[in-house]
Amino acid sequence: MAAHRPGPLKQQNKAHKGGRHRGRGSAQRDGKGRLALKTLSKKVRKELSRVDQRHRASQLRKQKKEAVLAEKRQLGSKDGPPHQVLVVPLHSRISLPEAMQLLQDRDTGTVHLNELGNTQNFMLLCPRLKHRWFFTSARPGDLHVVLDMAKVADTILFLLDPLEGWDSTGDYCLSCLFAQGLPTYTLAVQGISGLPLKKQIDARKKLSKAVEKRFPHDKLLLLDTQQEAGMLLRQLANQKQQHLAFRDRRAYLFAHAVDFVPSEENNLVGTLKISGYVRGQTLNVNRLLHIVGYGDFQMKQIDAPRDPFPLNPRGIKPQKDPDMAMEICATDAVDDMEEGLKVLMKADPGRQESLQAEVIPDPMEGEQTWPTEEELSEAKDFLKESSKVVKKVPKGTSSYQAEWILDGGSQSGGEGDEYEYDDMEHEDFMEEESQDESSEEEEEYETMTTGESVHDDLYDKKVDEEAEAKMLEKYKQERLEEMFPDEVDTPRDVAARIRFQKYRGLKSFRTSPWDPKENLPQDYARIFQFQNFTNTRKSIFKEIEEKEVEGAEVGWYVTLHVSEVPVSVVECFRQGTPLIAFSLLPHEQKMSVLNMVVRRDPGNTEPVKAKEELIFHCGFRRFRASPLFSQHTAADKHKLQRFLTADTALVATVYAPITFPPASVLLFKQKSNGMHSLIATGHLMSVDPDRMVIKRVVLSGHPFKIFTKMAVVRYMFFNREDVLWFKPVELRTKWGRRGHIKEPLGTHGHMKCSFDGKLKSQDTVLMNLYKRVFPKWTYDPYVPEPVPWLKSEISSTVPQGGME
């Protein structure tokens, strides 16, 4: 028999693909040691077992816990600086002397009093708790004192009233402190034991509910007896410390004693000796020192005197007078400082930083010499060789006029039509103008009847009519800016091409190019600029963390010899003003352009105009300057805001010394009565002179005759030359149409315009013009002391328009 042979239509089954289901072992055997490209390029990472992962996590937790405990043990110990506590009463009914007396527990430890002016400072040494505290106090009405003391305090102790918690002065003080940045704080209630026993529980419940708005998760402590004061001290000693970023990377010092040695040449300037404990970072004598409120200075040397407040006095040589009282004054501290003096470090002139804050510009730099004859001939030859553009122009056009004619432009209508249309348009224009003048609407006025008051005469004496008129004018300008943003009237006495000669038109504000180095003012020759500010900041911060700096360590009691200090610094210190010094990082004494993101404070409603002088609290600095306000966007150009708006965050740009962020920013405005009013709060964004702030001007015109997509526009310009000058600039309307100027009509500024759609008769034609603006150089490091808030509380709480 013949064997069966399959035909051409036999079914063909697919082969089994076993490779996809292979295990990892068989795949490695088949690969014969070859590895994939991704496996070779990746960093070999050792995979830990589950037990090792748990062990590593527990080690990291242990390290962090030990670091926190070490920081807590160092603060207030014998090797660290004293635990500085700022006591702030938030209500006028709180008795500050009584609270300070309770904290001065003689049974707990030794008390050293130091009274200067109106402030009460004392040192509490407690060997039993192995802790030492330095208590200072400040009234919430003294705004500068509270803010400056909060910059260096380790803990703020807020004293609350049992019934109301805080009054309006305390609430204003809390707003400023929250904006600047709060260190560790504690809440204590004074006077709750004076209430009846039945009302004490209700008072604590109501107070806890009221405090939740500001302090949502904080416990209230009592401060009425000596036992409660002891519990409060233990709470302060065991509290976890909160860090302020702007002071953790710098060395700072609170002055316990000050001495002044006048110079031989001038008695108004001399060497200031500041004694205190080093905090934050190691203090280097070659760095510059900033005294808050007075400016930057150089240090001559650092001495290491004996610590006047040791925790364990046994290890110190006995005093000449063993029966000396515990109470010592600042002069005694200075005398004790002279004994056992040891020079720790002297300044090296070669390594010491300079006080130069500005660049001295060279007026001849960038000047160009007169070109030679060879250069002139080469330029002529180059112009001849350049290609010539052929254009279609009307008859009788000169070569100069032909340069201004755009290529590819379409002509609409003939010459006869133009003249005929021009005459017709001129007659209609005269009729329309006379109708507009006759039908001009008058402003509407509202009458209001008010009741007579007995104290009207007394009230009017306190009102400053000139200040009221200025404020009314500001309110009007702010309201006009909200209704018609950036719109200005074209002047009739000056040609628009002269009035707006520094402005330019942009096809797109977002995408059109603008050179940041173009047409810079003379003040830009005085400032410093970083090639890469972010990298410089990172390298300086990395050097602080990794590199060991020689100098006075944290916790040492030292005396700084600061040169060329005015005698007014010592006079203010002797009157009770605290003296605080910060060590500057490299480049922080140099002037540049600072950009700060600020937001309007909701408690202030007065209009704040750009370039108006304000008071800045930026990190550890305090100065006066006139800022520019601009939009906070991610683009390369930022539109100028003429007023500080209340609904959005803006960027304030000023000339000021360089400060490395992070740093908090507070803006104050000084009123006519001397009080400082909080305007805005925010943070320092960058130090960048290349950030462009662009001012926009909007010229408006009205459509006179409309022919579908063509229209005759008037009142934007008032002569023919201005229309020709601004012809290349694009037009827009409030209803979204875009167009351009075709040609001028007549000699009164009327112009024919074409748009991308039909124009409505009630629409408004707009032209946007732009120019770059720069801040005014009004930097002043001296800020006068404000009038205490309590004295002017009545005048500040009344609105500008009167009581409602």
Side-chain angles (χ1 to χ4, degrees):
M1 292 178 61
H4 174 71
R5 295 180 180 179
L9 301 178
K10 183 180 181 298
Q11 179 179 348
Q12 298 288 336
N13 295 327
K14 292 181 179 180
H16 177 64
K17 297 180 180 179
R20 291 186 178 180
H21 306 285
R22 289 183 302 170
R24 188 169 57 181
S26 61
Q28 290 177 355
R29 285 193 298 271
D30 294 344
K32 296 179 181 179
R34 291 190 297 269
L35 295 175
L37 183 63
K38 290 183 179 180
T39 310
L40 286 172
S41 61
K42 283 184 178 179
K43 187 177 179 180
V44 179
R45 205 168 44 169
K46 188 177 180 182
E47 295 183 2
L48 299 176
S49 63
R50 186 170 295 178
V51 178
D52 293 338
Q53 289 177 3
R54 290 175 181 171
H55 182 60
R56 185 177 64 177
S58 65
Q59 283 182 330
L60 291 175
R61 282 197 303 270
K62 189 176 180 182
Q63 289 176 2
K64 291 181 180 179
K65 189 176 180 181
E66 288 177 354
V68 172
L69 289 174
E71 181 186 5
K72 190 185 298 183
R73 287 167 187 156
Q74 185 186 15
L75 183 64
S77 64
K78 62 177 182 177
D79 298 326
H83 190 154
Q84 187 162 340
V85 182
L86 173 63
V87 183
V88 181
L90 295 178
H91 203 282
S92 58
R93 287 199 294 260
I94 294 173
S95 175
L96 183 60
E98 184 181 343
M100 300 295 274
Q101 192 65 35
L102 286 172
L103 294 172
Q104 297 172 15
D105 189 3
R106 305 279 177 173
D107 299 332
T108 305
T110 309
V111 179
H112 296 269
L113 296 179
N114 184 9
E115 296 187 3
L116 289 173
N118 297 325
T119 60
Q120 293 183 353
N121 305 334
F122 68 91
M123 185 77 70
L124 177 61
L125 309 177
C126 183
R128 182 166 55 86
L129 295 176
K130 298 180 181 180
H131 208 85
R132 54 179 176 173
W133 290 273
F134 178 58
F135 284 90
T136 59
S137 61
R139 289 283 180 184
D142 300 329
L143 192 61
H144 280 185
V145 176
V146 173
L147 293 177
D148 290 345
M149 295 289 287
K151 292 172 184 174
V152 296
D154 298 311
T155 304
I156 299 181
L157 176 61
F158 292 116
L159 300 181
L160 307 179
D161 183 71
L163 299 178
E164 298 180 7
W166 52 75
D167 54 9
S168 57
T169 311
D171 187 65
Y172 179 69
C173 178
L174 284 176
S175 300
C176 297
L177 287 173
F178 271 96
Q180 179 177 270
L182 269 182
T184 309
Y185 60 89
T186 303
L187 306 177
V189 185
Q190 185 194 47
I192 201 167
S193 60
L195 299 176
L197 191 62
K198 294 182 179 179
K199 294 184 178 181
Q200 288 184 10
I201 300 175
D202 295 338
R204 293 187 66 174
K205 287 182 180 180
K206 290 180 180 178
L207 186 60
S208 299
K209 195 171 183 181
V211 167
E212 278 183 0
K213 297 178 181 178
R214 289 277 192 184
F215 310 98
H217 304 292
D218 293 294
K219 184 181 178 182
L220 296 176
L221 301 176
L222 302 179
L223 185 59
D224 289 325
T225 62
Q226 206 72 52
Q227 183 180 2
E228 293 170 351
M231 294 177 61
L232 180 60
L233 289 175
R234 288 185 178 85
Q235 168 70 13
L236 295 176
N238 298 324
Q239 214 170 8
K240 183 182 177 182
Q241 292 298 310
Q242 300 288 336
H243 295 276
L244 293 180
F246 72 88
R247 76 180 186 186
D248 284 345
R249 294 186 176 93
R250 299 172 179 86
Y252 59 97
L253 180 140
F254 178 82
H256 289 263
V258 170
D259 190 17
F260 184 76
V261 180
S263 63
E264 298 177 357
E265 301 174 356
N266 188 2
N267 293 331
L268 299 178
V269 178
T271 301
L272 185 68
K273 297 180 181 180
I274 308 173
S275 300
Y277 294 91
V278 180
R279 302 170 183 269
Q281 296 288 333
T282 303
L283 181 61
N284 191 348
V285 71
N286 294 319
R287 293 276 176 87
L288 296 180
L289 194 73
H290 176 79
I291 300 178
V292 177
Y294 299 100
D296 304 333
F297 304 93
Q298 286 181 332
M299 290 182 283
K300 290 182 179 179
Q301 69 181 42
I302 300 178
D303 298 338
R306 178 180 57 83
D307 191 346
F309 310 110
L311 188 59
N312 299 316
R314 295 177 184 174
I316 297 175
K317 296 179 182 179
Q319 300 289 336
K320 296 179 182 178
D321 186 7
D323 299 328
M324 174 178 68
M326 290 182 293
E327 190 171 317
I328 61 173
C329 299
T331 55
D332 299 332
V334 174
D335 295 337
D336 293 341
M337 181 180 67
E338 300 292 338
E339 300 177 6
L341 198 63
K342 177 183 176 183
V343 178
L344 190 64
M345 195 177 183
K346 285 192 175 182
D348 184 4
R351 299 172 56 191
Q352 193 173 28
E353 292 191 11
S354 172
L355 280 171
Q356 182 184 1
E358 302 177 16
V359 180
I360 302 173
D362 184 6
M364 299 302 294
E365 186 178 1
E367 289 291 328
Q368 184 179 0
T369 57
W370 188 260
T372 61
E373 293 182 359
E374 295 179 359
E375 292 175 344
L376 290 173
S377 61
E378 288 179 3
K380 289 180 181 179
D381 295 338
F382 178 76
L383 289 174
K384 290 178 181 179
E385 292 175 1
S386 60
S387 59
K388 297 181 179 179
V389 181
V390 179
K391 295 182 180 179
K392 185 183 290 185
V393 298
K395 292 181 180 181
T397 305
S398 65
S399 59
Y400 175 76
Q401 291 173 334
E403 293 291 334
W404 291 90
I405 297 177
L406 298 176
D407 192 14
S410 59
Q411 300 290 335
S412 60
E415 294 181 1
D417 296 339
E418 179 183 346
Y419 294 124
E420 185 180 352
Y421 178 82
D422 194 356
D423 295 337
M424 180 183 65
E425 180 269 341
H426 184 65
E427 294 174 1
D428 294 341
F429 164 73
M430 297 300 294
E431 293 176 3
E432 287 282 329
E433 195 173 42
S434 61
Q435 290 177 6
D436 290 342
E437 290 177 357
S438 62
S439 62
E440 207 170 66
E441 293 183 2
E442 296 182 357
E443 294 182 8
E444 295 181 1
Y445 293 92
E446 183 181 358
T447 58
M448 182 183 296
T449 57
T450 57
E452 295 183 358
S453 175
V454 182
H455 304 284
D456 280 349
D457 297 336
L458 297 175
Y459 184 80
D460 289 342
K461 289 181 181 179
K462 299 178 181 179
V463 175
D464 188 357
E465 294 184 2
E466 186 177 353
E468 289 284 319
K470 289 181 180 179
M471 188 59 64
L472 179 62
E473 185 64 26
K474 276 189 181 180
Y475 274 112
K476 286 182 178 179
Q477 292 178 5
E478 186 181 30
R479 197 169 296 125
L480 281 174
E481 182 66 21
E482 291 178 0
M483 296 171 63
F484 309 102
D486 302 325
E487 287 194 30
V488 296
D489 295 331
T490 307
R492 304 196 65 167
D493 53 344
V494 181
R497 62 186 181 278
I498 298 175
R499 168 65 180 83
F500 304 110
Q501 60 185 348
K502 293 183 179 180
Y503 291 81
R504 68 182 73 176
L506 294 178
K507 180 72 174 175
S508 171
F509 182 78
R510 185 178 61 86
T511 59
S512 296
W514 197 309
D515 186 9
K517 304 295 184 184
E518 176 188 355
N519 294 333
L520 297 179
Q522 189 66 27
D523 290 336
Y524 263 53
R526 303 164 58 186
I527 64 173
F528 291 84
Q529 182 177 5
F530 294 98
Q531 189 172 2
N532 192 325
F533 175 74
T534 306
N535 288 351
T536 305
R537 173 177 168 270
K538 285 182 180 178
S539 62
I540 290 175
F541 287 176
K542 188 177 181 182
E543 184 179 351
I544 293 172
E545 294 173 359
E546 298 178 356
K547 190 177 179 181
E548 293 185 1
V549 182
E550 57 179 2
E553 298 290 338
V554 177
W556 291 4
Y557 187 83
V558 297
T559 299
L560 310 180
H561 293 249
V562 189
S563 57
E564 301 296 327
V565 180
V567 70
S568 59
V569 179
V570 188
E571 294 173 354
C572 293
F573 177 77
R574 287 169 182 167
Q575 292 174 4
T577 305
L579 185 63
I580 297 165
F582 276 84
S583 176
L584 298 182
L585 298 178
H587 314 295
E588 283 196 328
Q589 79 278 13
K590 300 173 182 177
M591 295 291 291
S592 189
V593 178
L594 270 62
N595 301 306
M596 314 168 188
V597 180
V598 296
R599 187 178 288 273
R600 185 72 179 265
D601 184 67
N604 189 283
T605 57
E606 293 183 6
V608 180
K609 204 173 182 180
K611 295 187 179 180
E612 192 174 341
E613 187 179 71
L614 300 177
I615 297 169
F616 286 77
H617 287 245
C618 180
F620 55 88
R621 289 189 185 272
R622 186 168 68 232
F623 56 88
R624 290 186 293 174
S626 301
L628 288 179
F629 300 120
S630 58
Q631 293 179 348
H632 182 33
T633 59
D636 60 338
K637 296 182 288 294
H638 311 273
K639 193 174 80 67
L640 174 77
Q641 294 292 114
R642 288 175 170 82
F643 288 88
L644 180 62
T645 55
D647 51 349
T648 57
L650 299 179
V651 176
T653 303
V654 293
Y655 290 114
I658 294 168
T659 304
F660 291 102
S664 58
V665 174
L666 282 78
L667 270 66
F668 292 90
K669 183 179 178 182
Q670 186 169 0
K671 294 186 176 182
S672 58
N673 55 6
M675 194 192 74
H676 291 181
S677 175
L678 182 63
I679 297 295
T681 60
H683 64 276
L684 179 62
M685 182 178 68
S686 66
V687 180
D688 185 14
D690 286 342
R691 187 180 185 275
M692 292 186 291
V693 179
I694 308 298
K695 181 180 180 181
R696 185 181 72 171
V697 164
V698 179
L699 304 181
S700 59
H702 303 276
F704 174 44
K705 288 184 177 295
I706 299 173
F707 308 99
T708 60
K709 293 185 179 182
M710 301 288 292
V712 178
V713 179
R714 60 178 177 178
Y715 302 149
M716 184 177 287
F717 304 108
F718 297 101
N719 58 69
R720 185 183 185 90
E721 289 77 12
D722 287 344
V723 178
L724 292 172
W725 181 269
F726 290 100
K727 186 177 179 181
V729 184
E730 187 182 23
L731 301 175
R732 68 178 180 91
T733 70
K734 288 190 175 181
W735 286 20
R737 297 296 180 194
R738 289 185 174 272
H740 61 276
I741 301 173
K742 296 290 288 183
E743 56 187 353
L745 301 174
T747 60
H748 295 279
H750 291 213
M751 53 189 181
K752 186 193 296 184
C753 306
S754 65
F755 296 90
D756 57 356
K758 187 174 181 180
L759 215 62
K760 301 289 185 182
S761 60
Q762 61 269 33
D763 204 350
T764 305
V765 181
L766 305 175
M767 176 183 287
N768 294 341
L769 300 176
Y770 304 92
K771 78 165 181 177
R772 185 179 178 184
V773 290
F774 302 90
K776 293 170 63 178
W777 192 293
T778 58
Y779 171 77
D780 186 4
Y782 174 71
V783 178
E785 289 293 329
V787 175
W789 207 83
L790 288 169
K791 294 181 182 179
S792 49
E793 181 180 356
I794 298 175
S795 61
S796 63
T797 52
V798 178
Q800 291 294 328
M803 283 192 176
E804 294 180 359

